[in-house]
Amino acid sequence: MQETSKRVNYFYDLQDAGYDADIIREFSKQLGHKPIIDINPKNSQVLKEKIELIKHEKESFKFINLHQNLDEEHYNQRSMVKLVNKYLKDDFGCNTIYYQGAIKVASVLAFGILSICIHQSLKLVT
């Protein structure tokens, strides 16, 4: 965060559950950023049950101490990007690309994105 802040001005720190610590949140706030970090249930069974409840009710921001304003939108966009990247890697063959050259790689990724769009469209129809 510190090195990136020297080069680029930004407002949000989007991080995975591995960065869920108070010291990281405080450092982000000291830099003038807004930390948006996934919660890490660690070994708490109660917190794991709350997270499962959240997933089913889609009221995640009630339990993870984020306000329901732009934070929710940023968090949801981040989740969508992670989901698309997962689809590209695991389901549509973009985990290992054996081509060299930007045009060839871009065409493989474009076909992957097209496949995801078709796949999601078929889900809406059925």
Side-chain angles (χ1 to χ4, degrees), residues 78-90 92 112-113 116 120:
R78 177 174 181 254
S79 298
M80 287 186 287
V81 169
K82 287 172 66 174
L83 185 62
V84 169
N85 287 338
K86 178 228 175 263
Y87 281 153
L88 279 174
K89 289 180 179 179
D90 297 342
F92 295 103
I113 295 291
I116 289 174
Q120 294 298 321

Side-chain angles (χ1 to χ4, degrees), residues 83 87 91-92 116-126:
L83 185 62
Y87 281 153
D91 300 334
F92 295 103
I116 289 174
C117 292
I118 292 169
H119 186 258
Q120 294 298 321
S121 299
L122 289 174
K123 280 185 180 179
L124 290 174
V125 173
T126 58

